[in-house]
Amino acid sequence: MEPYNIAFIGIGGIAHVHAQVIQALSETYHDLPPLRLVAASSRTAEKRAQFANRFGFSRSSSPEDLLAFADINTLFILGPNSIHVPYLEAALEAPSIKSIYIEKPLCSSIAETARLWSKLDQGKAEKRIMVGFQNLYALPIHQALAMWQAGEFGQPIHFQARYLHSGYLDPAYRLKRQTRLQPSPADGATADLGSHALSLLVAFLGKDLAVKAAQASGSFPDVPPGSDLCLNALLIDRTSGAAGTLTASRVSAGTGDQLEFELWGEKGSLRYSLEEPTILRTTLQGKGTQTWDLLSSIGKIYPPAPEAFPKQHWIALLESHYCFFNPGKFPILLPDLKHGLQVQDLVNQIAILINPAIADQV
């Protein structure tokens, strides 16, 4: 099997998690091609050298030099939102790079979204691309998608999706993350958290979702005006007529990583929560008022997670990477460039409703 020669652009907190995931895959699963950590890049030479040494990358470099290395065939774009599209566009032109993983949100502006749609429509983005919506690979979501696509829940009627954090209530936390306080679509709760929930809605309901109303709330003196610390939106599915709500919040007291997804149809309903990442709750006609399915990764679709793997809610990231390095092996929707752009269109619709002035920024 041809090895994956992997490079990272960006070495922040999320890059540490991705590096741990790849190490776990390499050390635990033996049905994958070799995963070689070749190069880590960022603007700061000392920090990238420390990161490379800690996680076993062969070398470190600037991002510009990295894209010229002929021995790299797999790129992880993990830096700030503002660099996602520029480095994706550069990677699409790099002959040696065949596979690209890009963190969400895909874009940081309406103009970037339009450029990528144009590349996709013109066939200029044909490399294998995965956008970082790892929750699509959680085993209960995999099971729910299969049941939904088989028609077990019937036509959708209404839905609810929430992704909540509390961290930005803390002034010290905000102070360390000033660059993360830009209004959507550059950053904010909609782009950071809401995009995960929107990815699930697109996966289940398709491309005809539209945002009918949106309202941001929460404000502090040290947060720029228009920054969406908390977002509530009303969406409709124009195909079925189903309607529902999205809440994305960085300022919900008492929450850590709290993702909740609920979908009601004519024949039944489903419920998933990241607080119980192995459980899918379903209600189906003729099967009682509610049935609970406990789904475990062990011995099923994905191999078991290593016992020492950190944070249970990151197991879906492990599962998504297992699929990323096994293209075509699993019958599940991949969050490819088209999926990422469909999610980004909804993020942009919300951003315009919150800040109408950005509608002209194309």
Side-chain angles (χ1 to χ4, degrees):
M1 295 183 286
E2 181 181 358
Y4 286 94
N5 294 330
I6 301 165
F8 279 18
I9 291 181
I11 57 169
I14 193 64
H16 287 68
V17 177
H18 283 282
Q20 290 179 67
V21 167
I22 293 172
Q23 286 181 332
L25 289 171
S26 297
E27 295 168 0
T28 308
Y29 310 130
H30 306 296
D31 59 341
L32 295 173
L35 307 180
R36 298 173 179 169
L37 296 174
V38 175
S41 68
S42 76
R43 294 292 178 192
T44 308
E46 182 179 357
K47 289 183 178 179
R48 70 192 184 220
Q50 291 173 349
F51 181 89
N53 183 63
R54 175 179 177 181
F55 292 105
F57 285 81
S58 301
R59 59 181 179 269
S60 63
S61 74
S62 70
E64 290 74 18
D65 290 343
L66 179 146
L67 290 170
F69 294 149
D71 60 340
I72 293 171
N73 58 27
T74 305
L75 181 66
F76 279 66
I77 302 173
L78 307 174
N81 298 347
S82 60
I83 76 164
H84 290 181
V85 169
Y87 284 117
L88 174 61
E89 292 175 325
L92 291 173
E93 300 297 325
S96 67
I97 295 175
K98 309 301 180 185
S99 301
I100 302 167
Y101 183 103
I102 180 168
E103 262 296 345
K104 57 77 200 167
L106 183 58
C107 305
S108 62
S109 70
I110 296 172
E112 288 182 344
T113 310
R115 287 208 313 269
L116 288 187
W117 270 120
S118 178
K119 288 182 183 293
L120 186 65
D121 293 341
Q122 296 173 24
K124 296 180 179 179
E126 295 180 348
K127 298 186 179 185
R128 192 165 66 89
I129 300 170
M130 178 184 283
V131 184
F133 295 122
Q134 71 269 9
N135 293 293
L136 285 176
Y137 292 90
L139 185 55
I141 293 296
H142 187 127
Q143 179 72 8
L145 270 171
M147 295 171 68
W148 183 263
Q149 292 166 0
E152 293 189 39
F153 298 101
Q155 284 292 306
I157 299 174
H158 63 107
F159 52 85
Q160 177 176 297
R162 301 196 304 168
Y163 205 144
L164 309 179
H165 275 306
S166 62
Y168 286 79
L169 286 171
D170 180 358
Y173 190 94
R174 296 197 301 271
L175 182 63
K176 293 179 180 179
R177 293 164 177 81
Q178 288 296 302
T179 59
R180 303 291 306 277
L181 293 171
Q182 301 174 76
S184 287
D187 210 299
T190 305
D192 182 23
L193 306 176
S195 59
H196 277 298
L198 290 170
S199 172
L200 293 174
L201 290 173
V202 169
F204 280 86
L205 298 172
K207 62 182 177 60
D208 287 332
L209 283 166
V211 183
K212 300 297 290 183
Q215 180 65 51
S217 59
S219 63
F220 298 94
D222 57 341
V223 175
S227 181
D228 49 324
L229 290 170
C230 179
L231 176 282
N232 280 280
L234 172 67
L235 297 91
I236 62 165
D237 174 19
R238 290 172 294 197
T239 297
S240 66
T245 59
L246 165 72
T247 300
S249 174
R250 289 168 152 177
V251 287
S252 293
T255 57
D257 267 290
Q258 186 172 323
L259 170 64
E260 298 172 345
F261 176 66
E262 301 176 350
L263 185 55
W264 287 267
E266 295 172 345
K267 298 179 181 179
S269 60
L270 63 92
R271 178 177 298 169
Y272 171 73
S273 171
L274 198 58
E275 292 186 331
E276 300 175 306
T278 61
I279 294 175
L280 172 67
R281 302 170 190 251
T282 64
T283 303
L284 296 171
Q285 287 183 357
K287 294 187 178 181
T289 58
Q290 187 169 25
T291 60
W292 293 46
D293 292 321
L294 177 61
L295 304 177
S296 172
S297 298
I298 299 175
K300 294 200 175 180
I301 297 171
Y302 310 114
E307 291 184 3
F309 191 69
K311 290 189 178 182
Q312 193 176 28
H313 71 267
W314 287 119
I315 290 176
L317 188 65
L318 186 82
E319 294 166 341
S320 74
H321 282 31
Y322 186 76
C323 293
F324 179 67
F325 295 119
N326 280 277
K329 186 173 181 180
F330 299 98
I332 187 173
L333 169 73
L334 291 175
D336 57 10
L337 181 60
K338 184 176 182 180
H339 178 88
L341 286 170
Q342 289 170 342
V343 172
Q344 190 66 47
D345 280 344
L346 295 170
V347 171
N348 292 348
Q349 288 178 42
I350 291 169
I352 291 170
L353 287 168
I354 296 172
N355 298 305
I358 70 169
D360 298 327
Q361 298 176 6
V362 179

